[in-house]
Amino acid sequence: MLIENRDFLRLKNRPLLEQLNTMEDETDTTIVEDSKQGVPTLKVEVEGKYKYIHSKYNPEQEVSRVIEQFEVEGDAEHIIVFGAGLGYHIPLLANKFPQLTFTIYEPNMEIAKQFLTNFSLKKYGAVQQFIHDKAQLFNELPNLATKYSNVVRIFSLPSYRQIYQLELDEVYETLKKILKGKVASISVNANFQQRWIINAVTNFTKVISTPNVLRDLDEKNFVGKPAIIVSAGPSLNEEFENLKYIKKNKLAYIFSVGSAINALIEHEIYPDATCSYDPKERNQRVLQKLKDKKLTNIPLIFGSTVGHETLYDYPGELLHMVTSQDTFSNYLLTEKNATPLIQDASSIALLTFQLLAKMGFSSIYLVGQNLSFQNNQRFAEGVPYNNQVTENQKLHEIESVEGDLLYTDDGYLTMKNQLEVLIKSTPQVTVYNTTKNGAKIAGTKFLPLAVVIQDHLTEKVVNNDWNKAVKSYNHELIDQRLSSLVKYKEEVITKIEEVESLIQTLNKDEQKNNNKLRRLDKNIKKITGNLYFTTIISPMMRVQIDNISNELKRLDYQENGIEKIDRIIMIYSKLIATMKVTEATAAAYFNQTTNEVLTHD
């Protein structure tokens, strides 16, 4: 092995270096021989027959033709090279795509050794990693997707596509799923990052004036008891009479989630509580029917980042749960015995499941949790949304609780997968799926609700006063922390102005150097370490911060010089501009809440 390749692996992949050091020198399953043109070619034994990795006539001409035909989109940033061979394709890829970086994956250990013995990775700084172990590659894929902003591509020689087809397909599918998930996550963050914090700050006065479900209620009312989560799936239409019976006889606590409350009210079924968490402004429409009817007997359990419009003029009692997206309340309310957070998820049913499990319920029954389409319908009757499934929606086949095939979409499939993970993580709770013709959910037992009433819910368990509580937040501590945030806010504004001025000076400076850049970097770190920034501003611009962080990481591989310094200054300038706008947006809500809390006290 070339000395420079040993150094490369010592830094980048020490386990592979150790494996290669213990390998035998000679092998007859991988053979290097001269091609007809006199340059080396490579063949490997596959199922008793030798197959050429490169042409046995003219390897250089063959690979040149392949690279000529290979194109990537303009936004591509990184290529995973599936198969190293003897490395003929690496210089051609690097020359054709000088702006890209590369990860080389070689599935055959003997080929890996041949490659590293004859090809110097040192000559190609764009090569960031050399991997042989498949598990290591799959562990690295999410990191690559994050680092290179989800624009990662795959290249393979025709021989590898033939010999390692199944493994290559697996890499493609895994990367596709990761990129799809990353894009979805970025989309969610981009859509909600500001609303989460704006809602958290605006809702804070409601949070500290209402009971925390996991802190202030008497758990004796719930431990060992059954609870029902009612969702708005089409099968809910078949369960109204059963739910009326359960409610009338107090056989289980009934929690309505999302828009199911409208269908229940239509049938004069008033759950023990309704739950809501969606940060969007339009979430208020879900409870509009309840507000219009001025129903005071249905408590609302709200996530602390719920759309603040939802809470306005709510006629009934309010209770809350602090969600993981709420960095504001989490800082102000955390004491020695911290209140458990409810992890944000793709549906209110998932948050409510977490909540009920933490409250101590021993059994949870899912009603109307179809997670699929029934007779081309999404929702039960009485839900004021577009209920039709359109023909152009991409659907997936899944198994029903009865063993038949159902159709579902990406959103429902994500909810199903997340719910299954939650159920697996709460073995102390027995979960029954009563949803007729609903999706089969791993970890649950299917049981029709009528059978549940007959065999399980046989006695009165609901305490009418379950929601009565004494609020226990430490208001003195809240005031202290809120006052300190006010001071940190002023510091951050001053520091942003200083850095903005420093960037303007640097842009005019013809003698830029790394010392001056370090001064800028030091001042940026003072901002990003500020408590007001980490609590409020940073969560509101998480997508932009991730993008800027990735841009800076990619510059690590660029040689030092004026061009690199100018690029870093431009990136920091963009960061400061975003900080300034975000701080101005946050300030109005923060100032109002601060005045209300501190003045009221």
Side-chain angles (χ1 to χ4, degrees), residues 5 13 65 202 233 288 298 314 322 362 384 395 488 550 583:
N5 288 341
N13 197 343
R65 190 168 55 248
T202 306
Q288 195 57 51
I298 303 176
Y314 188 80
V322 179
S362 61
L395 301 181
Y488 282 115
N550 289 331
E583 194 287 320

Side-chain angles (χ1 to χ4, degrees), residues 9 112 126 128 146 195 290 292 315 369 593:
L9 293 180
Q128 303 301 312
T146 298
R195 284 287 296 185
L290 187 153
D292 291 343
Q369 192 62 260
T593 293

Side-chain angles (χ1 to χ4, degrees), residues 46 66 181 213 268 302 309 351 362 403 408 491 554 562 590 600:
V46 180
V66 172
V213 176
E268 298 184 342
F302 66 92
E309 302 86 355
L351 273 77
S362 61
T408 193
E491 288 178 14
R554 289 194 288 276
I562 294 298
F590 177 77
H600 178 75

Side-chain angles (χ1 to χ4, degrees), residues 578-594:
T578 306
M579 286 180 182
K580 197 171 181 179
V581 171
T582 306
E583 194 287 320
T585 301
Y589 299 96
F590 177 77
N591 292 342
Q592 181 177 343
T593 293
T594 300

Side-chain angles (χ1 to χ4, degrees), residues 41-60:
T41 189
L42 175 68
K43 62 182 181 182
V44 60
E45 185 179 7
V46 180
E47 297 178 351
K49 296 181 181 180
Y50 282 102
K51 294 190 177 183
Y52 281 89
I53 296 296
H54 303 293
S55 168
K56 64 180 178 180
Y57 300 103
N58 194 334
E60 292 174 327

Side-chain angles (χ1 to χ4, degrees), residues 275-427:
C275 305
S276 190
Y277 89 121
D278 193 323
K280 295 190 291 291
E281 182 271 339
R282 69 183 186 191
N283 184 63
Q284 61 184 311
R285 294 186 301 172
V286 172
L287 298 173
Q288 195 57 51
K289 182 182 290 188
L290 187 153
K291 291 180 180 181
D292 291 343
K293 290 179 175 288
K294 294 183 170 52
L295 297 176
T296 60
N297 58 340
I298 303 176
L300 169 63
I301 300 175
F302 66 92
S304 56
T305 52
V306 72
H308 58 270
E309 302 86 355
T310 305
L311 305 183
Y312 176 73
D313 205 25
Y314 188 80
E317 183 181 357
L318 295 173
L319 303 94
H320 71 271
M321 50 183 167
V322 179
T323 63
S324 59
Q325 300 293 358
D326 185 355
T327 51
F328 182 69
S329 299
N330 190 33
Y331 166 67
L332 293 175
L333 300 178
T334 299
E335 300 175 42
K336 211 169 191 179
N337 299 317
T339 299
L341 293 178
I342 300 297
Q343 292 299 314
D344 196 67
S346 58
S347 82
I348 183 58
L350 300 174
L351 273 77
T352 303
F353 182 91
Q354 294 178 61
L355 182 69
L356 300 186
K358 291 178 184 293
M359 288 169 72
F361 288 103
S362 61
S363 55
I364 296 176
Y365 298 86
L366 307 176
V367 177
Q369 192 62 260
N370 288 74
L371 298 174
S372 58
F373 308 121
Q374 188 178 84
N375 299 324
N376 208 38
Q377 301 294 303
R378 285 180 176 273
F379 303 114
E381 296 171 2
V383 175
Y385 298 146
N386 179 12
N387 206 4
Q388 293 292 319
V389 181
T390 59
E391 291 183 5
N392 62 355
Q393 284 178 299
K394 184 179 178 182
L395 301 181
H396 309 279
E397 284 188 344
I398 57 171
E399 185 181 355
S400 77
V401 290
E402 289 95 354
D404 300 322
L405 286 179
L406 292 174
Y407 290 97
T408 193
D409 63 8
D410 289 342
Y412 282 146
L413 200 56
T414 297
M415 292 180 202
K416 176 179 178 294
N417 293 337
Q418 290 184 350
L419 181 56
E420 289 173 343
V421 170
L422 282 176
I423 291 170
K424 189 174 182 179
S425 68
T426 52

Side-chain angles (χ1 to χ4, degrees), residues 47 62 73 112 142 260 269 346 416 426 475 507 560 569 590 599:
E47 297 178 351
E62 175 202 45
E73 295 85 346
I269 301 168
S346 58
K416 176 179 178 294
T426 52
H475 284 259
N507 279 328
N560 291 329
I569 292 171
F590 177 77
T599 304

